[in-house]
């Protein structure tokens, strides 16, 4: 498994004073557009943090921004850093880090000279392995609350608005307005959720850092139905998160109803209940959020949303029951164009042309089985954790990506899957069909 922590840290305590207004708007327009990459329903943004280029997940569900890795062989300066202990959801043991202020963060034409972040050291989150993209940190909710921000999942861009002038009011045409609650710098929405023929008004954290559609916390009134399976749900600072996966009958945002929505019920041991705000019932994540475009107004505790082309897509899940991750790299030889050498004449006086073949060697990722769900098609076929993938459906692994593998495993009930793996030097072939049980 590739380690993503390779860095040198210099901690600076400084008494330099800065102006109160630390934001620099390097644009003549009243808006700044920020493109993002959408991977596993997560928005990944390119930033420059204290002069170092990083990739961060834009996460409204995290009250603080976090940096947990750097590009290999890079170094980082942290300013005004204090050693702290971090607690919260997904943290079952003490995690130490530095709370650092007066950093610089640049995203496109947006510059913050007093950016606050937590740096978590010696804690391998390895998101590069799970997403296939080298993630260095989380851009928390404190970034979103400073301006009006529009999230366009369809065009994969965010837009910051400096003011609420008439142009922006026109932009809101076609959007539906709804109230939200801001608590500890994080937004909460209220949704009608139908469970077992019972409609409940539930309070959800608006969480762009969650790839799933819905998470619900079981209690006396919220129970998972009888049709579910136990699954790997994700990864927190303390490690892997497991729980139940099922469906709810419907979720309604104002008059927009989504049916047969996938829902996860995380293991209660994963959450420190003392950190959850009162009456919170769960989280709404990217699999639901990406079906709308959003405008967030923290100051007035409002959101505006409208449907996009993702709205009618079905809620699919991994029907293979196997999770794949990066596991190092391999050199792959690709044949280049043929080149000619000098002609030679043999003893029979026949002219022969010698050819030299040129090859390009490229570094490509290896993939391995990271998790196998109990009683899934993958497990019944005999696939094991640690198996290194050579081919899937006759395609070499180096021509695949984690996203394309994920899409394949969610594609079609009954689809035939053939996987060739290397198990400690032994080449094995497994065949199974995707199986829809929810």
């Amino acid at each position: 498994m590739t380690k993503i922590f390779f860095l040198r840290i210099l901690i600076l305590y400084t008494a330099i004073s800065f102006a109160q207004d630390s934001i620099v708007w390097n644009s003549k327009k009243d808006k700044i557009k920020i493109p993002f990459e959408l991977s596993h329903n997560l928005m990944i943004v390119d930033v420059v943090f204290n002069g170092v280029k990083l990739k961060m997940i834009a996460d409204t569900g995290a009250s603080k921004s976090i940096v947990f890795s750097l590009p290999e062989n890079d170094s980082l300066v942290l300013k005004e850093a204090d050693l702290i202990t971090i607690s919260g959801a997904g943290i079952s043991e003490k995690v130490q880090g530095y709370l650092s202020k007066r950093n610089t963060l640049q995203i496109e034409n947006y510059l913050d000279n007093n950016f606050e972040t937590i740096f978590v050291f010696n804690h391998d989150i390895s998101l590069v392995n799970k997403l296939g993209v080298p993630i260095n940190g989380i851009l928390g909710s404190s970034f979103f609350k400073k301006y009006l921000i529009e999230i366009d999942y369809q065009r994969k861009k965010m837009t910051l608005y400096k003011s609420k002038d008439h142009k922006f009011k026109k932009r809101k045409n076609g959007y539906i307005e709804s109230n939200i609650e801001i608590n500890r710098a994080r937004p909460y929405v209220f949704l009608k959720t139908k469970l077992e023929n019972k409609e409940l008004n539930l309070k959800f954290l608006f969480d762009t850092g969650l790839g799933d559609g819905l998470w619900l916390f079981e209690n006396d009134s919220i129970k998972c139905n009888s049709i579910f399976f136990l699954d790997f749900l994700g990864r927190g600072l303390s490690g892997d998160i497991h729980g139940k996966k099922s469906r709810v009958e419907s979720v309604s945002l104002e008059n927009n109803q989504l049916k047969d929505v996938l829902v996860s019920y995380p293991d209660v041991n994963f959450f420190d209940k003392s950190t959850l705000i009162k009456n919170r019932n769960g989280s709404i994540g990217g699999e639901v959020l990406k079906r709308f475009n959003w405008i967030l107004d923290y100051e007035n505790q409002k959101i505006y949303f409208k449907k996009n082309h993702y709205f009618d897509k079905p809620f699919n899940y991994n029907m293979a029951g196997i999770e794949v991750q990066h596991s190092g790299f391999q050199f792959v030889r690709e044949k280049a164009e043929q080149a000619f050498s000098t002609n030679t004449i043999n003893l029979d006086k026949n002219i022969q042309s010698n050819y030299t073949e040129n090859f390009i060697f490229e570094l490509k990722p290896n993939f391995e089985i990271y998790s196998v769900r109990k009683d899934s098609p993958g497990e019944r076929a005999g696939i094991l954790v640690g198996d290194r993938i050579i081919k899937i459906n006759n395609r070499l692994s180096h021509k695949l990506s984690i996203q394309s593998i994920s899409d394949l495993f969610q594609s079609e009930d009954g689809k035939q899957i053939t996987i060739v793996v290397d198990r400690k030097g032994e080449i094995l072939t497994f065949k199974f069909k995707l199986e829809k049980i929810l």
Side-chain angles (χ1 to χ4, degrees), residues 169-184:
K169 289 178 181 178
K170 289 182 179 179
R171 188 79 180 100
K172 289 192 300 187
N173 289 339
Y175 282 77
I176 298 171
E177 179 181 322
S178 186
N179 294 321
I180 58 174
E181 176 186 314
I182 303 297
N183 193 311
R184 301 177 190 172

Side-chain angles (χ1 to χ4, degrees), residues 5 11-12 26 30 34 58-59 73 121 152 166 172-173 176 181 199 216 222 226 235 267 272 311 320 341 360 372 404:
F5 284 84
I11 307 298
L12 296 181
N26 291 322
D30 66 346
I34 300 172
D59 187 357
N73 294 322
F121 56 93
D152 188 333
H166 67 283
K172 289 192 300 187
N173 289 339
I176 298 171
E181 176 186 314
E199 192 169 76
L216 278 173
I222 299 175
S226 59
R235 168 162 266 201
D267 190 319
D272 178 358
F311 185 82
S341 66
I360 299 172
V372 181
S404 67

Side-chain angles (χ1 to χ4, degrees), residues 334-383:
E334 299 284 357
K335 192 173 180 180
E337 293 182 2
Q338 210 167 41
F340 293 93
S341 66
T342 305
N343 290 337
T344 60
I345 302 176
N346 65 14
L347 294 177
D348 294 326
K349 296 183 180 180
N350 292 323
I351 298 177
Q352 292 182 332
S353 295
N354 292 332
Y355 294 94
T356 59
E357 291 185 319
N358 294 335
F359 294 93
I360 299 172
F361 289 85
E362 294 184 352
L363 201 59
K364 300 285 187 178
N366 286 320
F367 298 103
E368 71 175 15
I369 306 301
Y370 170 70
S371 176
V372 181
R373 190 173 73 234
K374 186 176 180 180
D375 198 32
S376 65
E379 185 197 53
R380 294 196 299 268
I383 293 173

Side-chain angles (χ1 to χ4, degrees), residues 250-278:
S250 66
V251 173
S252 298
L253 291 80
E254 300 297 338
N255 294 323
N256 293 276
Q257 186 181 74
L258 295 164
K259 295 182 178 180
D260 294 324
V261 180
L262 284 170
V263 59
S264 297
Y265 297 87
D267 190 319
V268 293
N269 296 323
F270 166 69
F271 285 94
D272 178 358
K273 292 184 179 180
S274 65
T275 66
L276 298 178
I277 71 165
K278 186 178 180 181

Side-chain angles (χ1 to χ4, degrees), residues 178-283:
S178 186
N179 294 321
I180 58 174
E181 176 186 314
I182 303 297
N183 193 311
R184 301 177 190 172
R186 301 191 295 177
Y188 292 84
V189 296
F190 301 88
L191 309 177
K192 290 181 180 179
T193 307
K194 195 171 184 180
L195 294 161
E196 299 283 273
N197 295 315
K198 179 172 60 176
E199 192 169 76
L200 302 172
N201 288 311
L202 301 182
K203 182 177 181 178
F204 292 90
L205 175 66
F206 187 101
D207 190 356
T208 60
L210 175 65
D212 282 353
L214 288 180
W215 276 19
L216 278 173
F217 307 143
E218 289 190 281
N219 55 32
D220 293 339
S221 59
I222 299 175
K223 297 289 185 183
C224 178
N225 64 38
S226 59
I227 303 175
F228 70 89
F229 56 80
L230 299 178
D231 199 16
F232 165 77
L233 302 183
R235 168 162 266 201
L237 284 175
S238 284
D240 295 341
I241 308 157
H242 295 86
K244 302 172 186 175
K245 191 174 287 289
S246 185
R247 290 187 187 269
V248 298
E249 292 180 48
S250 66
V251 173
S252 298
L253 291 80
E254 300 297 338
N255 294 323
N256 293 276
Q257 186 181 74
L258 295 164
K259 295 182 178 180
D260 294 324
V261 180
L262 284 170
V263 59
S264 297
Y265 297 87
D267 190 319
V268 293
N269 296 323
F270 166 69
F271 285 94
D272 178 358
K273 292 184 179 180
S274 65
T275 66
L276 298 178
I277 71 165
K278 186 178 180 181
N279 299 326
R280 176 186 168 189
N281 302 116
S283 299

